[in-house]
Amino acid sequence: MPANRSLGIMTRCQGSHFVDKGYYRKLTLFGRKQGIRVFVFSPRKVDYATRTVKGFEYRNGAWQSGTFPLPALVYDRCFIGPSYRHYKPFVEKLQNDPAISFLGYGLSGKWQVQQMLSKSRELAPYLPPTQLYTLAHLEQTLDQYGAAIIKPTAGTHGIGVVRIKVVDNGFEISGRGRENQPFRRVIKGRPKLKLFLSTFTAGRKFLVQPYLELHTADGTPFDVRVLVQKNGRGEWETTGKAVRLGDPRSITSNLHGGGKAVPLEAFLARHFKPSLKVRIEQQVNRLASELPAFLEQSHGRLVELGIDVGIDRAGNVWVIEVNSRPGRTVFQMINDPVAKHHSMTQPVRYANYLMKERVGGY
């Protein structure tokens, strides 16, 4: 296959170790049927002198290392986390290469996304009041609402998300620490709270929001994961929707924290009155159809988004987070084979569309 029919999956490889091998294997096999060569590579392994890159290709039932011509298209799966700074300059160099196009550019952080979405008249009402964390902003939120959430601006998997609640004898703090372990403690007095927070947030940026009761009547936290992707015609399409249920001891519903997934419609029918269920479904669908295109206008090209939607006890719908490198496990867990298949093949379909539409570069 010629280099201009190649799709490079850019990820963080430690030697031959990289995450999501099962997903990338399916992308490779589906790409082959479309006449597209798919391989996995680290942005740190590019040789610009020879215009090649060391990487891995799934062949003959195994991942095999090789040297590949730089791909025409790059699918960015370089997850942002504490060690991303080691990859960022290499990613940016690829992004600035005129011969290479990215299927989509990763969103930079929760605060930036919040700022972009707040400019939309349609989407702004779905955003919880949000500020960059300072002790003054936290105290203001606690005084107004009685409970607040702080979350890292660049965090994933619910790590570092903490609820602070005013209680009779001080402040109840619960959430997940840096090791993603749930914890709960009561702290007496603002000076001790200030000391705890200065240690907990040290060196990282956080957001502060009012605490929303995004849980069922029995206290199980949940959210709705909506996966939207570009299809083979270059248009946004909703691939699937699922409810993620968290550990009742936790304040978040992330699957990495021991959660599980269930189908949306049955869940809403069980927990909300029929008229409220219909309204919630309409609002979730509206978010799925309006948010991607609006975000893309502000941010630049995107290929897929995981939109995490919260529903509070009164049935109000909230945009909790938008992720440009979404996972797909939920559709396996709810046994939705169509959504599962589409979630794994749409990036190749979109790559095929870009190659056909824009032969010879952009």
Side-chain angles (χ1 to χ4, degrees):
M1 293 173 200
N4 65 358
R5 294 288 295 170
S6 62
L7 173 64
I9 302 169
M10 182 175 70
T11 188
R12 287 153 62 169
C13 306
Q14 301 293 331
S16 63
H17 175 74
F18 49 91
V19 296
D20 285 341
K21 281 185 174 176
Y23 171 39
Y24 301 154
R25 178 173 61 82
K26 288 189 170 68
L27 277 179
T28 304
L29 298 175
F30 187 71
R32 212 164 276 160
K33 287 178 188 168
Q34 309 289 312
I36 296 172
R37 186 182 196 183
V38 180
F39 61 88
V40 176
F41 74 98
S42 162
R44 297 173 60 121
K45 296 293 183 183
V46 176
D47 183 340
Y48 285 95
T50 59
R51 306 285 299 168
T52 59
V53 60
K54 286 189 167 66
F56 302 91
E57 187 176 25
Y58 190 79
R59 286 196 312 271
N60 305 323
W63 286 101
Q64 299 184 23
S65 61
T67 301
F68 307 89
L70 279 179
L73 289 170
V74 169
Y75 180 30
D76 180 1
R77 296 287 292 174
C78 259
F79 293 93
I80 290 175
S83 61
Y84 184 68
R85 66 184 185 279
H86 300 306
Y87 289 82
K88 194 178 177 191
F90 299 94
V91 173
E92 287 173 350
K93 190 166 182 185
L94 279 167
Q95 286 175 343
N96 292 325
D97 191 304
I100 295 171
S101 290
F102 277 52
L103 294 189
Y105 298 99
L107 294 170
S108 44
K110 295 184 181 76
W111 178 243
Q112 289 83 349
V113 172
Q114 176 85 15
Q115 297 292 92
M116 286 186 256
L117 295 179
S118 65
K119 292 182 173 67
S120 161
R121 258 214 320 261
E122 286 76 27
L123 300 170
Y126 295 100
L127 302 175
T130 305
Q131 295 173 294
L132 277 172
Y133 169 80
T134 63
L135 195 61
H137 285 155
L138 174 66
E139 288 177 333
Q140 188 185 336
T141 306
L142 288 174
D143 291 343
Q144 190 175 346
Y145 297 97
I149 283 273
I150 63 167
K151 56 170 101 167
T153 57
T156 54
H157 308 326
I159 298 168
V161 178
V162 169
R163 179 185 67 195
I164 299 141
K165 195 174 173 183
V166 179
V167 291
D168 289 344
N169 52 350
F171 302 92
E172 180 193 272
I173 301 176
S174 53
R176 290 185 175 273
R178 292 190 184 212
E179 305 301 313
N180 207 15
Q181 291 303 313
F183 73 90
R184 181 186 168 277
R185 66 176 69 170
V186 174
I187 289 177
K188 292 179 182 176
R190 295 212 171 193
K192 285 188 176 171
L193 176 67
K194 186 178 174 182
L195 189 63
F196 168 83
L197 289 166
S198 68
T199 307
F200 189 81
T201 62
R204 294 191 296 168
K205 283 185 179 171
F206 280 72
L207 299 180
V208 59
Q209 298 174 329
Y211 171 66
L212 303 170
E213 296 199 321
L214 308 177
H215 55 74
T216 59
D218 70 356
T220 302
F222 74 92
D223 68 8
V224 181
R225 163 53 66 93
V226 183
L227 179 62
V228 290
Q229 296 175 294
K230 294 268 188 73
N231 61 22
R233 298 181 303 280
E235 299 157 350
W236 285 106
E237 200 175 279
T238 300
T239 296
K241 291 174 276 206
V243 174
R244 300 184 300 185
L245 298 166
D247 182 329
R249 296 171 303 151
S250 174
I251 59 163
T252 60
S253 53
N254 207 282
L255 300 179
H256 287 78
K260 61 180 185 177
V262 296
L264 175 63
E265 199 168 331
F267 176 85
L268 292 178
R270 198 158 59 247
H271 293 281
F272 295 96
K273 290 177 182 162
S275 59
L276 198 48
K277 172 185 177 283
V278 169
R279 198 189 81 198
I280 290 167
E281 286 176 321
Q282 286 170 343
Q283 291 185 347
V284 170
N285 290 339
R286 189 179 308 151
L287 287 172
S289 66
E290 291 183 12
L291 187 148
F294 181 83
L295 198 50
E296 198 169 36
Q297 281 169 18
S298 309
H299 167 78
R301 188 154 73 211
L302 293 158
V303 56
E304 58 190 350
L305 292 170
I307 306 169
D308 294 340
V309 177
I311 304 164
D312 67 22
R313 303 287 298 121
N316 299 308
V317 170
W318 302 95
V319 175
I320 300 305
E321 197 172 321
V322 184
N323 189 333
S324 55
R325 298 174 182 89
R328 289 148 173 77
T329 319
V330 285
F331 305 116
Q332 216 162 325
M333 293 172 89
I334 66 168
N335 194 21
D336 185 338
V338 176
K340 183 188 165 193
H341 177 70
H342 272 209
S343 75
M344 294 185 167
T345 54
Q346 289 287 46
V348 168
R349 288 194 181 96
Y350 180 52
N352 199 28
Y353 159 80
L354 288 179
M355 287 170 186
K356 281 193 299 194
E357 288 295 301
R358 312 184 185 191
V359 175
Y362 300 92

